[in-house]
Amino acid sequence: MSANRRQFLLSSGALLVASAWPGIVYSQTEPRRGGVLNVHLGSEQRILNPSLRASTGVYIVTSKIIESLVDLDADGRPVPQLATSWTTSADGKTITFKLREGVKWHDGKPFTSSDVQYNALELWKKQLNFATALQLYLHAVDTPDAHTVVFRYERPMPLDLLLRALADLGYVVPRHVFEGKNVLENPANTAPIGTGPYRFVEYQRGQYIIAERNPNYWRKGLPYLDRVVWRIITDKSAATAAIETGQIQLSAYSQLSLADLDRLRKNPKFDVRSKGLEANVFNNTVEFNFRRKELADVRVRRAIVHAIDIDFFIQNFLYGLGKPASGPIPSTSSFFPKGSKPPYPFDTKRAESLLDEAGYKRGRGGVRFSLKLVPIQNGEDVPLLATFIQQSLEQVGIKVEIVQYDIAGALNAVYKDNTFDIATGWHQYRGDPAVSTTVWYRSGSPAGAPWTNQYGWKSDKVDKLIDDAATEIDANKRRALYGEWVKTVNDELPIWMATEREFYSVVSRNVHNSHNNARWPSSSWHDTWINA
């Protein structure tokens, strides 16, 4: 790309906002064509393929370029995207999708059922971190014609579960670009080719990603925007300054500091909101490495949780934005076990007693043993929680060393190399426990897959409950199985879901048709427009 073109792509959005920023922001009822939406990206993305990596950091970029079979509406219900309709057999083992006709990849080749077949069997089932468990019993995908695809399962697959999952775990990349090549090293992982409203243009590491309007998009007359520019700004103060000066118009998924989110609520130029992100409730996590003998003892894990005053942390460090979690299923979910409460309330005396009972008495200097803590830095609260854990555990005789990595290094340390004792990060609940939650507990995920059970822990009972619930098509029985599962994992405590929280976006009021579905930052933005 020429220097002049690059400069234009990057600067025109800022000029557009600068022209509208002085004075009162006016409203415009008819969508306006053109313009650039500048978006905050808080961390470097080493991969831009949502068929290989399920992550909001990936979705916020490539869901505009690559599309999934279904999306969600404002109420979180599945709606057609690349798939136009679906049916299921009475036994739940055969699910048929009709695909949208006339759709083309950005390189001009037609989108067909063969593409879906390849993604389902070779990427979702074998590579995609959450989908490997979801698609465990998928044994065949038939393509009777170019626009029909039939998923065949060894065990029943609840249709509601699959549809909800496919919004996040059903992105489709072109078979002809990936087949027969090294999937993990394919150049299209960082220069994506899709069917979406925007086409990839350029990725400058540490600076920006650019996508421009797809003139052949299957939604006729859309998108409205000329281009989207994601600006990589890792410093939260700099990102806040950029949105206040109009250099960016959107920061989603709580990427700004909590203090700035609280302050910007009072600024009439911005909308600070959790509506439009309801599909992605999240938890702060504490993960244990069972290869460490102390942590393999459930009494020690329970003691650690009892020693941490998580309510104090929420009120004093998170501006009260959240509450202590009752387990891996949030209270907003229809699967939440009624009456559930946080299972291990703050109680240092109980923590001390459990550690003594486990045989880890205080030694020299009052220290029982030492642990290495790795924060997976999804947000500013993660290192804060790491420090809070360090200080809390010191009170009960556990010395904690915090080891800092960038997010890629932390993911490797925790999920690939297992060079950690405890880790803190985020878990996202995506509407159904089987989408992206039970995979944190079930054994058998591919080695190194991030945000999955890589802890050296295995429970046949938990595996069976997970599999039975994921293949139960009777809704009441399914809820009961998840209730038993929650009770079991809360008791065994392989992972502690410490908080229950919502994401927030900050968006300029110049941006229209934003946050109009339950996962808007991860949706296509085909109908989004901005004032001139």
Side-chain angles (χ1 to χ4, degrees):
M1 178 185 291
S2 69
N4 288 339
R5 175 169 165 75
R6 182 182 297 113
Q7 184 177 8
F8 170 73
L9 285 167
L10 288 169
S11 64
S12 58
L15 291 171
L16 173 68
V17 174
S19 68
W21 202 254
I24 298 173
V25 176
Y26 66 88
S27 63
Q28 185 174 331
T29 56
E30 290 296 323
R32 176 190 176 274
R33 294 192 176 277
V36 177
L37 179 61
N38 290 275
V39 182
H40 174 211
L41 194 61
S43 61
E44 188 76 69
Q45 297 301 313
R46 297 190 180 184
I47 188 169
L48 295 176
N49 184 348
S51 287
L52 291 179
R53 176 65 58 82
S55 163
T56 54
V58 176
Y59 298 154
I60 197 171
V61 177
T62 47
S63 61
K64 318 336 168 214
I65 301 166
I66 298 169
E67 295 179 301
S68 54
L69 291 181
V70 301
D71 205 347
L72 303 183
D73 67 11
D75 297 317
R77 294 171 301 205
V79 292
Q81 194 160 247
L82 288 179
T84 58
S85 64
W86 39 81
T87 56
T88 184
S89 62
D91 63 2
K93 293 183 178 181
T94 302
I95 297 177
T96 301
F97 291 92
K98 291 294 184 181
L99 303 180
R100 194 171 300 279
E101 299 185 24
V103 177
K104 291 186 177 180
W105 295 105
H106 294 155
D107 62 7
K109 293 186 175 3
F111 161 74
T112 72
S113 57
S114 178
D115 295 303
V116 178
Q117 179 190 55
Y118 173 79
N119 278 257
L121 293 176
E122 299 300 324
L123 303 184
W124 306 345
K125 183 176 174 65
K126 294 181 180 179
Q127 301 285 348
L128 183 57
N129 44 325
F130 298 137
T132 56
L134 177 78
Q135 303 291 3
L136 182 65
Y137 296 106
L138 177 68
H139 70 88
V141 177
D142 299 338
T143 55
D145 61 55
H147 299 102
T148 304
V149 62
V150 183
F151 286 52
R152 300 194 183 279
Y153 292 89
E154 296 171 17
R155 298 181 62 170
M157 169 61 77
L159 181 60
D160 288 347
L161 161 60
L162 182 62
L163 292 176
R164 177 56 189 85
L166 289 177
D168 285 328
L169 307 179
Y171 285 94
V172 185
V173 295
R175 181 173 193 155
H176 64 272
V177 172
F178 282 86
E179 189 172 34
K181 302 171 185 175
N182 186 320
V183 170
L184 298 180
E185 296 180 7
N186 195 304
N189 289 333
T190 51
I193 297 169
T195 59
Y198 300 94
R199 302 187 302 191
F200 173 82
V201 174
E202 184 180 10
Y203 184 1
Q204 284 292 327
R205 293 287 186 183
Q207 299 182 57
Y208 56 80
I209 302 169
I210 301 172
E212 64 184 7
R213 186 179 190 275
N214 175 13
N216 300 312
Y217 187 44
W218 55 266
R219 285 185 170 105
K220 300 304 179 186
L222 295 174
Y224 294 120
L225 298 169
D226 285 336
R227 63 191 68 88
V228 181
V229 177
W230 294 267
R231 297 175 179 271
I232 301 166
I233 309 174
T234 57
D235 181 87
K236 293 179 183 294
S237 296
T240 299
I243 200 165
E244 289 187 293
T245 57
Q247 295 175 52
I248 59 176
Q249 294 90 54
L250 170 68
S251 180
Y253 290 123
S254 298
Q255 293 185 93
L256 300 183
S257 75
L258 292 163
D260 285 334
L261 284 174
D262 190 58
R263 180 174 59 81
L264 289 171
R265 289 173 184 273
K266 305 174 184 67
N267 190 324
K269 295 177 180 177
F270 305 106
D271 192 3
V272 179
R273 59 192 299 160
S274 60
K275 182 174 175 56
L277 298 97
E278 302 94 329
N280 297 95
V281 178
F282 74 103
N283 310 94
N284 290 97
T285 61
V286 177
E287 302 159 56
F288 304 102
N289 189 346
F290 281 67
R291 299 166 187 86
R292 183 70 187 264
K293 67 174 185 177
E294 295 90 342
L295 298 176
D297 190 323
V298 70
R299 293 170 295 185
V300 173
R301 301 194 300 275
R302 291 170 181 167
I304 287 172
V305 177
H306 275 305
I308 301 167
D309 188 350
I310 202 66
D311 190 60
F312 180 90
F313 176 76
I314 292 168
Q315 296 306 318
N316 291 276
F317 292 89
L318 302 183
Y319 291 76
L321 298 175
K323 63 182 181 179
S326 298
I329 299 179
S331 58
T332 54
S333 172
S334 61
F335 293 101
F336 179 73
K338 292 182 179 178
S340 292
K341 296 179 180 179
Y344 300 99
F346 176 59
D347 187 339
T348 55
K349 289 184 178 179
R350 180 59 178 153
E352 298 259 17
S353 176
L354 284 167
L355 291 167
D356 288 342
E357 181 185 325
Y360 299 106
K361 306 287 187 179
R362 287 182 181 266
R364 181 178 298 179
V367 176
R368 301 173 188 272
F369 54 85
S370 299
L371 296 172
K372 181 166 71 174
L373 189 161
V374 173
I376 304 170
Q377 301 201 35
N378 309 73
E380 69 170 301
D381 54 295
V382 174
L384 288 175
L385 180 57
T387 301
F388 188 71
I389 290 171
Q390 181 186 52
Q391 295 170 346
S392 299
L393 296 189
E394 183 180 10
Q395 303 304 308
V396 297
I398 301 174
K399 185 177 180 180
V400 174
E401 175 194 4
I402 298 174
V403 181
Q404 303 282 4
Y405 299 94
D406 64 13
I407 189 167
L411 290 174
N412 279 337
V414 175
Y415 299 109
K416 182 180 179 183
D417 301 329
N418 308 129
T419 53
F420 78 107
D421 294 320
I422 53 178
T424 60
W426 283 354
H427 152 260
Q428 286 189 48
Y429 182 82
R430 293 177 169 91
D432 189 294
V435 177
S436 59
T437 298
T438 55
V439 71
W440 287 64
Y441 297 84
R442 199 196 187 287
S443 65
S445 289
W451 303 295
T452 68
N453 179 2
Q454 304 289 329
Y455 318 120
W457 175 78
K458 184 179 187 298
S459 166
D460 291 338
K461 179 181 179 181
V462 167
D463 284 355
K464 186 176 187 305
L465 283 169
I466 288 171
D467 291 350
D468 289 349
T471 57
E472 177 55 65
I473 58 178
D474 182 291
N476 291 328
K477 291 180 180 178
R478 196 160 180 258
R479 274 191 289 271
L481 286 166
Y482 280 125
E484 185 179 353
W485 172 70
V486 168
K487 183 177 182 300
T488 302
V489 297
N490 277 351
D491 183 60
E492 296 195 26
L493 200 63
I495 304 151
W496 179 36
M497 299 294 181
T499 66
E500 179 183 322
R501 299 171 59 194
E502 294 178 310
F503 282 117
Y504 285 84
S505 287
V506 179
V507 59
S508 165
R509 293 189 184 274
N510 275 336
V511 180
H512 298 266
N513 285 345
S514 80
H515 297 81
N516 55 7
N517 65 56
R519 58 188 295 276
W520 183 80
S522 294
S523 66
S524 70
W525 299 354
H526 62 272
D527 60 347
T528 299
W529 59 280
I530 56 178
N531 276 339

